[in-house]
Amino acid sequence: MIKILNIGSETNQRHTILFEGGEITLVLKFLPVVGIWTFDVEWKSAQILNIKLSVGVQHINNYNLPFDFVCEDTTGSGLDPTLRDDFQTGRTVLYMLEAQDLVELRGYEVEI
Amino acid sequence: MIREYNQAESGSKLQQVGVGGFTLFAKVREGVSMPSQSPTTYLEDGSYVNDHIVTEAIKVTIEGSVSDTYISAPSVAPLQNTRQDNIQNITAFLPARPPQQVQAIRNIESNVRKSYAQAEKNINQKNIIAQVGDQAQSELRRKFFDAMEKLYQSKQLVAIETEYRIYENMVLNQIDIVRDNQNEALSFSISASQVRFAKTESVRVAFNKPSGGLKGQSDPQIDKGVQQGEKVETSILAGLLK
């Protein structure tokens, strides 16, 4: 499992994460009007758009990809990331689950 | 006048398409229907009326006949009035026929009468000429029937030519073919409607001056670079998930 670094307070930011010899393109968007964070992810031919970030859940489990994203609330309040600087201040942290983590969670091999 | 008629005969107004490529028929009647739905309820004052009007698929009906021979009807160009000083010029006088010419004409008349009698005799027999002639003459009608049947079974979209337009992507909703023994022709009636396709296009919208209420939601994308992330112990994974 890895922690996604360098998440700032920009409302539209693109992160490129090296994974299994390829690249995962993660686009984080903050919607100030409704106070939510969403993300788009692209990897190989898979493209998943507009997933809302919530604390404590696997966001793209049903897409059967060899990775997933989990958000943690470091204050223990259980609140989803709702402010622009939640990630910048560290109030919430975004992690990416790797293939080995998913094997432990799902109980079967993950296709990369 | 004859020269202009012949010149017009060689021209054509529209590309020959017919019905699905079959052009060897005489079109007796054609109709084009362009329906649209309009709102029956009250519209708000100031609203765009065009947004509430829905155009429906264009419908075409064609009635025609298919017979043994097909002649393309020429389009007659408007005749030009030319100013002529002379109405008529007498250039030669027909001479009187010599006796040899008169005899030759009478021989031709006799041959024509003999051929006519022979042909009538054969026609009265009915067997040979009726069979051979009917097979040859029905070739075009059979081709038409086969073509229409093929279009019906293949369910493919075809192009249909009308007097002023060629309509693409037409599906044949109804094909009625009637055979008439007295006229030795096939009468048909075809109803078709147009299939319309929608294409999704995406365009980039330029936000020159976004509203302040968006609070930066429409800001351009910032590239945060490439990373491998920070390795975290998987023991905390259980605590992350609900």
Side-chain angles (χ1 to χ4, degrees):
Chain A
M1 183 170 72
I2 63 173
K3 175 183 172 182
I4 306 300
L5 303 172
N6 202 21
I7 299 177
S9 60
E10 294 88 355
T11 56
N12 191 346
Q13 51 187 290
R14 183 172 73 247
H15 300 261
T16 304
I17 305 164
L18 300 176
F19 178 74
E20 299 292 340
E23 292 179 353
I24 298 172
T25 302
L26 175 68
V27 176
L28 293 168
K29 294 180 184 174
F30 177 65
L31 308 179
V33 177
V34 291
I36 61 172
W37 279 87
T38 66
F39 72 92
D40 305 337
V41 62
E42 288 182 32
W43 184 69
K44 292 185 178 179
S45 60
Q47 184 187 44
I48 304 164
L49 304 175
N50 292 330
I51 305 293
K52 178 194 175 299
L53 278 172
S54 300
V55 166
V57 294
Q58 297 179 61
H59 290 83
I60 52 175
N61 186 34
N62 55 320
Y63 288 93
N64 202 27
L65 295 177
F67 57 90
D68 208 326
F69 294 95
V70 176
C71 193
E72 181 198 17
D73 168 35
T74 57
T75 63
S77 63
L79 288 176
D80 296 338
T82 55
L83 298 178
R84 191 168 180 157
D85 56 357
D86 270 346
F87 288 101
Q88 191 174 34
T89 59
R91 207 274 295 174
T92 53
V93 180
L94 184 64
Y95 296 97
M96 187 179 89
L97 302 179
E98 295 175 294
Q100 187 56 40
D101 303 315
L102 293 178
V103 169
E104 293 175 10
L105 285 171
R106 295 176 188 174
Y108 53 83
E109 287 298 318
V110 172
E111 182 182 348
I112 296 177
Chain B
M1 183 166 89
I2 295 176
R3 188 188 312 120
E4 278 138 357
Y5 180 86
N6 288 333
Q7 282 175 356
E9 190 176 14
S10 62
S12 61
K13 285 186 296 187
L14 279 176
Q15 174 192 0
Q16 293 288 317
V17 173
V19 176
F22 194 96
T23 59
L24 304 180
F25 61 88
K27 201 180 298 179
V28 174
R29 178 185 294 189
E30 68 181 26
V32 178
S33 173
M34 291 179 266
S36 64
Q37 292 181 8
S38 57
T40 56
T41 55
Y42 285 94
L43 299 179
E44 277 194 44
D45 185 22
S47 60
Y48 291 105
V49 180
N50 293 351
D51 292 343
H52 300 271
I53 299 174
V54 179
T55 56
E56 296 180 353
I58 292 175
K59 294 181 176 51
V60 173
T61 55
I62 294 178
E63 294 176 16
S65 293
V66 180
S67 185
D68 52 351
T69 53
Y70 174 77
I71 300 174
S72 176
S75 58
V76 180
L79 300 175
Q80 297 176 357
N81 293 324
T82 58
R83 180 172 173 275
Q84 292 183 342
D85 292 326
N86 301 324
I87 296 175
Q88 185 180 10
N89 285 332
I90 301 176
T91 58
F93 294 96
L94 289 175
R97 295 186 189 277
Q100 300 86 348
Q101 219 175 37
V102 172
Q103 183 62 34
I105 290 172
R106 286 185 183 157
N107 287 340
I108 292 172
E109 284 176 359
S110 169
N111 288 336
V112 168
R113 273 197 291 273
K114 283 181 192 171
S115 301
Y116 178 78
Q118 182 64 36
E120 195 167 12
K121 180 181 171 186
N122 291 338
I123 288 172
N124 287 336
Q125 288 179 356
K126 286 187 183 176
N127 289 332
I128 299 174
I129 291 188
Q131 285 178 8
V132 174
D134 192 37
Q135 281 179 7
Q137 291 166 6
S138 68
E139 187 64 25
L140 191 57
R141 285 173 274 165
R142 178 173 293 280
K143 277 185 183 173
F144 171 79
F145 191 91
D146 291 343
M148 291 300 112
E149 191 178 48
K150 213 172 279 183
L151 286 178
Y152 167 73
Q153 289 176 348
S154 64
K155 301 178 191 176
Q156 62 181 4
L157 301 180
V158 298
I160 293 181
E161 174 192 352
T162 60
E163 180 69 17
Y164 303 109
R165 294 281 187 274
I166 296 176
Y167 293 99
E168 304 281 349
N169 296 330
M170 302 295 289
V171 60
L172 303 183
N173 299 122
Q174 181 89 15
I175 306 174
D176 296 317
I177 300 175
V178 178
R179 191 172 80 90
D180 190 341
N181 263 347
Q182 290 188 354
N183 297 330
E184 294 185 352
L186 284 183
S187 301
F188 68 89
S189 169
I190 292 175
S191 300
S193 60
Q194 192 173 45
V195 177
R196 298 173 293 176
F197 294 94
K199 197 166 60 171
T200 302
E201 289 187 9
S202 59
V203 296
R204 185 176 296 278
V205 179
F207 280 95
N208 290 330
K209 289 183 181 178
S211 167
L214 290 176
K215 300 177 185 175
Q217 184 172 326
S218 59
D219 287 351
Q221 193 172 84
I222 304 295
D223 186 3
K224 303 291 280 187
V226 182
Q227 62 173 289
Q228 285 185 329
E230 180 185 310
K231 203 69 177 168
V232 178
E233 292 179 8
T234 55
S235 61
I236 69 172
L237 176 61
L240 287 179
L241 299 174
K242 291 179 181 174

